[in-house]
Structures are given as C-alpha cells and as structure tokens.
Amino acid sequence: MNRKTGIFIGSLLLICLLLTVVQSEETKEINWIPKFQLYEKGPLDLYIFENEVDALSEKPLVKKFQTPYIEFENDTTYHGDKNYLFVLPENVQIDNSSLEELLKYVDAGSKVMISAFTFPQMLRDSLHFQMNSRRNLVVKVEEINQAYSFFPSSTFKKVDPKTTRIVSSIKTDSLSVETIEVQYGKGTFYLSANPYHFSNVDLLNKKQSRKEVAYLLSFINDKPIDWFANYNTNGERINSPLRFIFENRALEIAWQLLLLSLFLLMVFRSRRIQRIIPELVPNRNTTVDFVRTIGNLYYNQNNHNDLIKKKVIYFFDRVKSEYFLQTDVLDQTFIRKLRLKSGKSEEEVTALIDLIIRLENEKISFTKTDLIELNDALDKFFNKKID
C-alpha cells in the first residue's frame, strides 16, 4: 500500500469517527405526527397495536394491503360474513369507490369499525351525521420526550337519532360524542373520532386506552375481522430490502459513507491507473509452414515424379533470380558461370547439374532414393559455401 492510499484510508476512518461522535451526541427527535404507521415505533404509530392485537381482540385480525375496492372487485355477491376495521392517519380518507363497496357489504350484514379524525362527505351523507374538527394545542409530557404541538381533534355534533346510538363520549366543558353506532341496512357502522387510542403512546401509558380499544373491537368480534392496513403502511419502504438499514439512523449513515467511499475510490482509480495497453501480436510468416505442408503432402502420396520436376523448376527459378543466368542450355559455360557466381566448387556444381540432366532425360518412374538424392544436393548447394 502506497503513501497516498494510506492517507485516503486514514481520512475516511477519521470522518467515520467524527460522524459517530456527532451521532452519539445528537438528541433523537420524536415525531408526533399522527401518521399511524403499522411498523413504526413513533408515539403516534401502531407498532404496539399490531403486536398486541390478539390480546385486545377475541377474533384474530387478518391484515389486508389493498383498498376495499380492489379487495372486493372479484366478488360479485355481497355477503355479510366478515367485519372490517380501519384506523386512518391524519389527512387520509377512504376513496369513494371503496366506500360504495363497503356500504353494500354493510347493507348485507357486515360491521365496519372506522377510527379517523374526519370522514368522507359521501359517508356523512349516507349515514346522516356531521362533525366538529379542530386542532388543540396540547402539551404532552412523557418520559421519552416533551412535545408542544397542535393535535387534530374531532367530535360528532349532529346525528340521526333514528339510526344512531352514542357508544362513548368525553367530558370537557360539555359532553362531546367520541364514538357512534349507525345502523345501515342489515349491518352497522362504528365510527370513532379518536384514533389516538390505538397509538403506541396511549397503549403504552394509558390503561384506559387499552380498555377503550378492547371495548371498540368487541363490537365487531362476532365474525372474522379484516383489517385494511394498507392505509397504515408505506408500500415502497416495506417492500424495500434496505428497509432495516434506513430505519436505523446509524446504519443509514454507514450506508451513505459506503456509497461515498466507493464513488471516491472509482474516481481516484480512474484518474491514476492507466488503461491496459493490449498486446499486438505480429503477423506470423507462414510461408515456410505452407511449403513444408505441401512437401509432406507430395511425399506421403509417393508422387516422386511430380515432386522432382517441381524441385528442378524451383532450382532454375532461383538461379535466374539470384545469379541472373539463363537455364536453357546446361553446358560447361553454364557450369562455369554458376560456379563463379555461387562460390561453389567445380565438382559440387558439376555433380548437381549432371544429376538434374540425368533426371530430366530419364522417362521412367523415379524412386524415393532419387528424390532424396536431389533434395540433399539442392540443400548442399544453397546452404553450404566454400571458404
């Protein structure tokens, strides 16, 4: 490891240490927004309710992660064999298409419990009730945090006495209706304007809230209960494999540092490491291999006549190109000129020319011995010179 790499790694470790110290000194901020998320542990979320619902309800709750409209779209017969639960965050309402389906199921005999700060206009018109909605400045003093905030609050102010019964109320300056029961067809709607009872902070610190939740669930315990928890989840985050990392602040910082380190590493390496230069292999001269292959072909086929003729032609062609001699007449004049230009001895040149003349004059089939004799003579002529 060189010096620059060591400096880079040391700087990265120092940054990690500083961030760890800052994170340890940081006071975790408590989120008091009533978002009622299923798997969150904030004061106004539903983590405790989701884990203890079996102890609060006589019937098990089956969570549904689709809207009622999508859940019921393949069911063409409306029947009242199930009850339904909704715990809605602030500023979240059931859409009109889902409400139409719910009204049909309640009319057939189902029971629906909805706990929310406000209710859709379509539901208010169908069940004939009105509400008071406001925000109260509340000081919450808990062991974990102290919060000053405007919290949403709602009560029922006008209902239809022919179909509606008061289930629970709270006493302030006057009697405020908190939960009502509304008959609709063969079924019943239970509407609670105080979803705080289901929150983590109330279930953890208020025994009255636990009793209130069990009391509300008792109205719909006569049939299996479907809890439409799609309103209490962030679908993208729940489906993400990195959800656990992003839920933990320290792990999230570590993840960000890892990505930053990888980015810096790629930047530094791309600037300091030269691209590998490919090796260029020179073209190979295959002429000798070709000649050897052709020679072996002739030799293995025992075509000695043709091979001897080609070797003689090759000899004449080379004499013409290297020594500039005519090969039409192979007489003593030719032998003398070839000896002088090639530097060979007179005996060697004479023996080679006599062998060529003999082979050209003979009309019989040549043998392997003749071919070897000519080949050795040619090799000796072109490869060995007289000192």
Side-chain angles (χ1 to χ4, degrees):
M1 183 174 66
N2 56 32
R3 182 172 177 271
K4 292 183 177 180
T5 304
I7 294 175
F8 173 75
I9 295 176
S11 301
L12 189 61
L13 292 176
L14 180 61
I15 293 174
C16 294
L17 179 61
L18 292 175
L19 287 175
T20 303
V21 173
V22 171
Q23 180 66 20
S24 63
E25 298 294 331
E26 181 182 352
T27 302
K28 186 175 181 180
E29 182 180 353
I30 304 299
N31 189 348
W32 287 94
I33 298 176
K35 47 193 178 68
F36 298 121
Q37 292 296 293
L38 188 62
Y39 302 111
E40 300 288 345
K41 299 181 181 180
L44 299 182
D45 290 312
L46 303 179
Y47 180 81
I48 294 178
F49 175 69
E50 194 269 338
N51 283 275
E52 297 190 10
V53 68
D54 292 337
L56 298 171
S57 173
E58 296 178 4
K59 297 278 184 165
L61 272 66
V62 178
K63 291 188 284 294
K64 302 292 183 179
F65 294 96
Q66 301 287 350
T67 63
Y69 177 76
I70 297 177
E71 191 71 30
F72 301 147
E73 64 177 345
N74 295 325
D75 190 358
T76 57
T77 59
Y78 297 100
H79 45 77
D81 58 351
K82 285 186 179 181
N83 295 333
Y84 306 100
L85 171 66
F86 297 82
V87 181
L88 302 180
E90 184 184 13
N91 300 324
V92 175
Q93 294 186 3
I94 304 173
D95 60 279
N96 288 339
S97 298
S98 297
L99 275 177
E100 290 177 359
E101 296 295 315
L102 283 175
L103 288 169
K104 293 175 182 178
Y105 276 90
V106 174
D107 186 55
S110 292
K111 296 179 181 179
V112 175
M113 167 71 69
I114 303 176
S115 183
F117 296 112
T118 184
F119 298 90
Q121 186 63 45
M122 179 180 176
L123 186 64
R124 283 183 274 177
D125 293 341
S126 300
L127 302 184
H128 311 291
F129 69 88
Q130 296 180 11
M131 300 190 69
N132 280 325
S133 298
R134 61 186 183 276
R135 284 182 173 270
N136 298 327
L137 178 60
V138 179
V139 180
K140 285 185 173 290
V141 181
E142 308 292 346
E143 294 180 359
I144 56 173
N145 192 45
Q146 180 171 314
Y148 302 85
S149 181
F150 286 95
F151 288 88
S153 175
S154 302
T155 55
F156 297 93
K157 71 174 183 178
K158 184 178 180 180
V159 297
D160 184 356
K162 296 180 181 179
T163 58
T164 305
R165 180 178 71 90
I166 297 176
V167 175
S168 65
S169 59
I170 55 175
K171 291 183 179 181
T172 53
D173 297 337
S174 60
L175 189 65
S176 299
V177 178
E178 189 176 74
T179 307
I180 60 174
E181 172 190 304
V182 184
Q183 295 295 323
Y184 186 84
K186 297 180 181 179
T188 309
F189 278 95
Y190 293 92
L191 307 178
S192 171
N194 188 0
Y196 292 118
H197 291 309
F198 295 85
S199 67
N200 291 334
V201 66
D202 279 23
L203 288 177
L204 187 64
N205 298 307
K206 296 181 180 179
K207 293 182 180 179
Q208 183 60 34
S209 290
R210 298 179 68 90
K211 293 179 180 179
E212 184 69 20
V213 171
Y215 176 65
L216 293 175
L217 294 178
S218 67
F219 289 104
I220 58 175
N221 272 336
D222 58 327
K223 298 175 185 177
I225 304 172
D226 283 352
W227 175 15
F228 283 94
N230 58 296
Y231 299 99
N232 310 108
T233 59
N234 183 335
E236 293 181 0
R237 200 174 71 83
I238 288 177
N239 293 330
S240 171
L242 300 177
R243 176 175 61 87
F244 178 76
I245 293 178
F246 292 134
E247 283 182 348
N248 190 306
R249 180 60 178 165
L251 291 178
E252 183 180 2
I253 293 177
W255 174 257
Q256 294 171 353
L257 283 174
L258 175 62
L259 296 180
L260 177 62
S261 302
L262 291 176
F263 173 75
L264 293 176
L265 180 63
M266 289 188 293
V267 171
F268 277 88
R269 289 182 67 87
S270 64
R271 294 183 58 185
R272 285 170 167 74
I273 296 182
Q274 184 180 6
R275 180 176 59 88
I276 298 176
I277 300 175
E279 180 182 359
L280 295 179
V281 181
N283 295 330
R284 181 184 175 191
N285 186 356
T286 59
T287 304
V288 177
D289 293 338
F290 174 75
V291 173
R292 184 179 291 111
T293 301
I294 296 299
N296 290 334
L297 178 63
Y298 278 100
Y299 183 80
N300 292 331
Q301 290 182 348
N302 294 322
N303 193 352
H304 306 309
N305 290 4
D306 194 21
L307 193 55
I308 285 176
K309 290 179 181 179
K310 283 182 170 52
K311 279 186 169 292
V312 172
I313 293 172
Y314 168 74
F315 169 73
F316 287 155
D317 181 74
R318 189 166 177 182
V319 167
K320 289 179 181 180
S321 61
E322 290 187 11
Y323 304 125
F324 306 103
L325 297 176
Q326 295 296 323
T327 59
D328 299 334
V329 180
L330 304 179
D331 54 8
Q332 291 298 323
T333 302
F334 173 79
I335 293 175
R336 182 176 59 81
K337 291 180 179 181
L338 179 60
R339 178 181 63 81
L340 293 174
K341 290 193 174 185
S342 64
K344 305 294 182 180
S345 65
E346 183 176 358
E347 294 81 6
E348 184 178 352
V349 174
T350 302
L352 175 61
I353 299 302
D354 290 344
L355 175 61
I356 292 175
I357 293 173
R358 180 174 62 81
L359 293 176
E360 284 187 330
N361 293 334
E362 291 182 359
K363 304 298 182 181
I364 61 175
S365 298
F366 299 114
T367 63
K368 180 179 179 181
T369 304
D370 296 328
L371 178 60
I372 294 175
E373 182 181 2
L374 176 61
N375 185 73
D376 291 343
L378 292 175
D379 287 345
K380 182 179 179 181
F381 178 81
F382 287 114
N383 295 332
K384 295 183 180 179
K385 293 185 179 180
I386 306 254
D387 296 334

